[in-house]
Amino acid sequence: MDLESTQYTPETDDKNEVIYRKLREHFDGKIVRKDLTKAIKEGANVPIYVLEFLLGQYCSSDDLKIIEEGVKNVKRILSENFVRPDEAQKVLSGLRERGSYTVIDRITVSLNIKQDRYEADFSNLGIRYIPISSDYVSKYDRLLCGGIWCIVGLEYEYIEEDKKSTPIRIVKLTPIQMPHIDMDEIKNGRRAFTKDEWITVLLRSTGIEADRFTNREKWLQLARMLPLIENNFNLCELGPRSTGKSHLYKEISPNSILVSGGQTTVANLFYNMSSKQVGLVGLWDCVAFDEVAGITFKDKDGVQIMKDYMASGSFARGKEEKAASASMAFVGNINQSVDVLLKTSHLFDPFPEAMAYDTAFLDRMHCYIPGWEIPKYRPESFTNDYGFITDYLAEFMRQMRKEPFGDVCDKYFRFGSNLNQRDVIAVRKIVSGFTKLLYPNGEFTKDEIEEILVFALEMRRRVKEQLKKIGGMEFYDVNFSYIDNETFAEHYVSVPEQGGGKIIPEGLTNPGNVYTVSHGKSGMIGVYRLETQMLPGNGKFERTGLGSDRDAKEATNTAFNYLKASGNQISGQISTTTKDYIINYQDLNGIGMTRYLTLPSVIALASCALSKPTLSSLAVLGEISISGTILKVEELASVLQVCLDAGAKKVLIPITSAADLGTVPSDLIGAFSLIFYSSPQEAVFKALGVE
């Protein structure tokens, strides 16, 4: 690497120079030039925190000569000591010839019960069952689960008499982690920076160039750190590919482990009953699941135990209950646009089925980051500037987990009535996490806390909105708000992707166009559109959009037969002998066609035959039998909620459902003009606005 060409020169706009000067003054020896990391990283497949551990030791200086010398040292150490899997035999040969060798490798330790000793496995070196002192295991318990990167001194001594034992011995083991961090140093150092400068430093420490992103995008990327700084925090992020969703958990922090999508077991994740060992949640600060679509549990009770853990931070295995503080992060890809996903399904759809429709599991999600708002990373998205050594950043976040900041908003604000206990816990955790990240010294203003609170309410509301789609009325209360303790003003917080794009349009539609809301084949409630055309003919009736759905076809036949028998009672203008009718049925939410189509079809046919459109923003509810009996609406409250979300302002409702209005929240009833009918003819008249 030509250091002359990559020499750090503070930007001419002075902003970066100011940040650099402050970092030098307050965090000297804890910062590293991220372009050095990048330049070496591309040639060595080591985690960033391993690389920066070495760079922090050898290149922490302004002096170009020292940096140049340091980079040479780091490269030499990596070339000599870092074990590439394809060169493992070469290293072992070197160990045998020299008698001793220092390697950088990922070490995992297991207990050999038969021989009552701990044994180390070297990931890249490919050697197993190497005896290791129990002192190291008790000191660094994470060796027992998933392993950690270490600098290991090895010795080789072959004893002829003892052929059964291995000739390789571990002489010295140093984990590549910050041994200790002075929290007062960070808290005092933070005072020197403005909020925006501090955000820039935090993002640069993860390798991201903050200046390339908008303020909103910065905040969304900061939110990824919440599981690392907050105990028992459950986060979900779904979005397009290459937006860096799993980067933080895999490369940046030595305190988190990334479980790639696929089969996992309760023993691996929580507790192994046979070996009596706690799983990943007991040994890591954050367990991140990559490619959530592929998560499957071998055990049937896997999701149940996970739910228990996500809610309480503890789980029961065997006769005892175990507690752990690890956060859970779920990241994955959305393969279609968000608009399509919201119209046809919900934002948790990429999860495996056992989780995607389990409202109890999803309700335990504290935060949903809208990954589709973060732009795809390009080469210029990564920084060449100074930031904290990733290990220092990781250790800072680890230490901050011990400090609760959840009540910081109580001084200035209180929560609105729509937040239940789980919502309050989730919002408090997000507020706490962000306050620790941005104001670790506990010095902030009312406006700064309000900014965090609004963001927190939005992240939790996104979860609640999806729960409402899946679980109906149980999760009706989504209008999150907060109240100012001084002025008593109530402020509502919305979710950007829920706005606009109403399914039921305002204003008059074409004659024969009808919107109905009912249960689909899947059991979910959705909106259906009927579009009707009338042609000269001899009384044929055609339907499109129903496929091979027998129940739906029968319902539409019933509608046409009813019109044949009773059309004259509605109007003498309706002819079922000299005209042909075509109705196209559309499932607007993609949940499967409904079988409650008789009444909507009668209204659509009458509207088309009379060339009279239905009322503006009208949703038709209810159904009739072949004899014309009115059937009431099932799950009225949930159906009305879907009507509201779809943009309906008037609802045509059977009088038989009036008794169920007591189950509907009053503010939901107040959102509509309710129009009751007691017969099919009356339903047609009122839908067309004829008195």
Side-chain angles (χ1 to χ4, degrees):
M1 179 175 68
D2 180 13
L3 275 172
E4 292 297 331
S5 63
T6 59
Q7 184 178 354
Y8 176 76
T9 48
E11 304 286 328
T12 49
D13 63 1
D14 285 342
K15 185 183 79 169
N16 289 341
E17 191 177 354
V18 168
I19 293 174
Y20 170 67
R21 204 173 57 244
K22 288 178 180 178
L23 281 172
R24 266 280 169 238
E25 188 179 336
H26 298 280
F27 299 104
D28 200 24
K30 313 290 190 315
I31 56 174
V32 69
R33 254 174 56 188
K34 297 291 173 175
D35 60 328
L36 299 180
T37 307
K38 266 196 305 188
I40 303 176
K41 171 74 180 158
E42 284 155 12
N45 190 19
V46 287
I48 289 173
Y49 55 84
V50 173
L51 189 52
E52 291 193 354
F53 177 84
L54 296 169
L55 285 170
Q57 284 188 322
Y58 293 98
C59 304
S60 186
S61 170
D62 272 343
D63 190 330
L64 200 65
K65 283 271 190 300
I66 294 174
I67 290 179
E68 195 162 355
E69 202 58 44
V71 168
K72 280 180 186 168
N73 276 330
V74 171
K75 282 186 163 179
R76 180 180 54 74
I77 290 166
L78 285 174
S79 66
E80 288 179 12
N81 304 121
F82 175 71
V83 183
R84 286 176 42 180
D86 58 337
E87 292 181 352
Q89 289 304 314
K90 182 179 160 188
V91 172
L92 286 172
S93 169
L95 170 62
R96 182 179 180 269
E97 298 309 317
R98 291 189 203 171
S100 64
Y101 207 104
T102 303
V103 297
I104 298 173
D105 202 347
R106 190 180 186 94
I107 313 295
T108 311
V109 173
S110 55
L111 176 62
N112 183 335
I113 295 171
K114 285 183 180 174
Q115 295 191 25
D116 187 32
R117 67 177 192 183
Y118 289 103
E119 294 175 342
D121 295 351
F122 289 66
S123 174
N124 288 358
L125 197 55
I127 53 173
R128 303 184 72 186
Y129 315 125
I130 307 299
I132 181 171
S133 164
S134 57
D135 294 348
Y136 292 125
V137 178
S138 54
K139 212 169 170 186
Y140 315 114
D141 57 0
R142 233 180 278 164
L143 286 163
L144 290 164
C145 190
I148 48 178
W149 284 87
C150 303
I151 300 172
V152 188
L154 297 174
E155 278 188 1
Y156 190 97
E157 187 180 0
Y158 182 73
I159 301 166
E160 186 75 35
E161 292 79 38
D162 191 6
K163 290 186 177 179
K164 285 186 179 177
S165 69
T166 174
I168 298 173
R169 284 206 335 270
I170 294 173
V171 186
K172 190 181 178 193
L173 182 144
T174 312
I176 293 179
Q177 286 173 317
M178 276 292 220
H180 175 69
I181 183 167
D182 183 357
M183 291 306 291
D184 291 335
E185 178 185 49
I186 283 197
K187 291 176 180 180
N188 295 330
R190 166 65 183 92
R191 291 191 180 97
F193 296 80
T194 64
K195 180 192 75 181
D196 289 337
E197 286 173 350
W198 189 248
I199 289 174
T200 299
V201 170
L202 286 175
L203 287 175
R204 282 179 181 167
S205 302
T206 67
I208 304 300
E209 181 45 70
D211 294 348
R212 297 284 176 192
F213 298 95
T214 64
N215 195 47
R216 166 96 171 159
E217 288 160 5
K218 288 178 195 175
W219 275 72
L220 291 173
Q221 292 182 85
L222 283 175
R224 291 171 173 170
M225 297 183 190
L226 292 174
L228 296 166
I229 204 165
E230 197 64 32
N231 287 325
N232 301 109
F233 186 84
N234 309 317
L235 172 137
C236 166
E237 181 183 355
L238 301 177
R241 289 164 180 78
S242 64
T243 53
K245 293 186 291 291
S246 55
H247 170 71
L248 186 75
Y249 310 114
K250 190 174 173 69
E251 293 278 1
I252 303 298
S253 175
N255 304 321
S256 68
I257 188 165
L258 188 73
V259 179
S260 296
Q263 274 203 342
T264 184
T265 61
V266 171
N268 177 43
L269 208 53
F270 296 104
Y271 188 74
N272 190 322
M273 300 275 286
S274 58
S275 69
K276 302 282 191 278
Q277 282 187 335
V278 175
L280 299 176
V281 294
L283 291 140
W284 298 88
D285 288 352
C286 171
V287 180
F289 295 89
D290 199 8
E291 307 299 343
V292 290
I295 299 173
T296 53
F297 274 99
K298 282 184 181 173
D299 321 71
K300 285 183 181 167
D301 58 349
V303 175
Q304 293 305 320
I305 292 174
M306 190 179 261
K307 282 197 292 198
D308 180 19
Y309 175 72
M310 285 167 73
S312 62
S314 61
F315 52 91
R317 291 289 283 161
K319 293 179 182 174
E320 54 186 324
E321 192 172 52
K322 300 278 182 191
S325 62
S327 299
M328 295 239 171
F330 300 86
V331 297
N333 297 321
I334 287 180
N335 296 320
Q336 58 213 104
S337 79
V338 175
D339 295 345
V340 171
L341 203 60
L342 281 170
K343 279 185 180 172
T344 59
S345 178
H346 56 89
L347 293 177
F348 286 111
D349 190 56
F351 273 79
E353 203 166 331
M355 299 175 176
Y357 290 92
D358 186 338
T359 51
F361 170 79
L362 299 175
D363 196 19
R364 288 159 165 77
M365 232 32 109
H366 296 132
C367 172
Y368 189 134
I369 300 174
W372 52 89
E373 290 189 36
I374 298 171
K376 290 197 173 196
Y377 285 176
R378 303 181 180 282
E380 58 269 22
S381 307
F382 298 96
T383 189
N384 290 330
D385 241 301
Y386 275 84
F388 292 132
I389 296 168
T390 45
D391 220 24
Y392 186 72
L393 175 74
E395 199 56 33
F396 151 65
M397 291 195 287
R398 188 161 205 213
Q399 290 298 324
M400 286 304 291
R401 289 170 80 89
K402 299 170 186 172
E403 300 188 27
F405 271 60
D407 57 349
V408 293
C409 51
D410 294 350
K411 185 179 171 186
Y412 306 111
F413 308 101
R414 63 180 192 270
F415 298 112
S417 58
N418 267 198
L419 280 85
N420 63 28
Q421 184 59 20
R422 276 216 173 123
D423 301 325
V424 170
I425 289 169
V427 171
R428 283 193 186 281
K429 277 183 175 282
I430 301 172
V431 169
S432 170
F434 260 103
T435 310
K436 288 178 200 178
L437 272 174
L438 301 182
Y439 313 106
N441 49 11
E443 297 170 13
F444 41 76
T445 63
K446 180 181 174 182
D447 288 348
E448 288 169 338
I449 287 297
E450 186 172 15
E451 181 182 30
I452 293 173
L453 182 60
V454 169
F455 184 83
L457 285 163
E458 184 210 314
M459 295 297 124
R460 172 61 187 175
R461 180 170 174 176
R462 184 168 291 104
V463 174
K464 203 72 178 287
E465 287 280 1
Q466 306 320 304
L467 285 169
K468 186 177 77 174
K469 279 194 156 190
I470 303 163
M473 275 324 289
E474 187 187 345
F475 303 99
Y476 158 70
D477 42 358
V478 295
N479 293 314
F480 285 8
S481 61
Y482 63 96
I483 300 157
D484 191 310
N485 286 341
E486 286 176 10
T487 63
F488 300 107
E490 189 165 11
H491 304 277
Y492 287 87
V493 176
S494 61
V495 184
E497 66 271 9
Q498 294 293 132
K502 297 293 186 191
I503 296 175
I504 301 175
E506 287 187 42
L508 292 174
T509 55
N510 294 330
N513 283 16
V514 171
Y515 290 88
T516 182
V517 176
S518 55
H519 289 76
K521 214 166 188 169
S522 63
M524 289 175 71
I525 302 166
V527 186
Y528 302 88
R529 179 166 63 210
L530 285 66
E531 292 182 344
T532 317
Q533 280 187 311
M534 181 174 69
L535 306 161
N538 52 9
K540 283 192 194 133
F541 177 48
E542 281 185 43
R543 301 140 308 184
T544 59
L546 295 180
S548 58
D549 192 321
R550 204 174 77 194
D551 292 341
K553 284 180 178 174
E554 278 181 17
T556 56
N557 284 335
T558 304
F560 196 62
N561 292 334
Y562 177 83
L563 213 63
K564 278 182 185 175
S566 310
N568 287 337
Q569 294 173 24
I570 298 169
S571 170
Q573 289 177 284
I574 298 175
S575 170
T576 53
T577 52
T578 61
K579 303 284 186 204
D580 288 349
Y581 296 89
I582 304 168
I583 303 187
N584 174 246
Y585 297 88
Q586 297 169 24
D587 169 11
L588 297 178
N589 294 112
I591 60 171
M593 191 46 73
T594 180
R595 56 190 173 91
Y596 304 103
L597 289 172
T598 309
L599 183 70
S601 299
V602 168
I603 294 171
L605 289 163
S607 165
C608 190
L610 300 170
S611 296
K612 196 166 177 55
T614 60
L615 296 169
S616 158
S617 307
L618 177 73
V620 172
L621 306 187
E623 183 61 320
I624 56 171
S625 66
I626 192 159
S627 60
T629 309
I630 304 291
L631 307 176
K632 71 174 204 172
V633 181
E634 294 174 24
E635 295 183 65
L636 181 61
S638 301
V639 170
L640 284 174
Q641 183 61 52
V642 173
C643 291
L644 181 69
D645 294 343
K649 299 227 175 25
K650 303 180 186 77
V651 177
L652 191 69
I653 188 168
I655 196 74
T656 49
S657 290
D660 294 341
L661 285 173
T663 64
V664 184
S666 54
D667 51 344
L668 185 55
I669 297 174
F672 304 106
S673 168
L674 298 179
I675 307 165
F676 291 98
Y677 63 91
S678 54
S679 69
Q681 293 96 320
E682 191 183 0
V684 174
F685 291 145
K686 287 189 170 177
L688 302 180
V690 179
E691 293 299 327

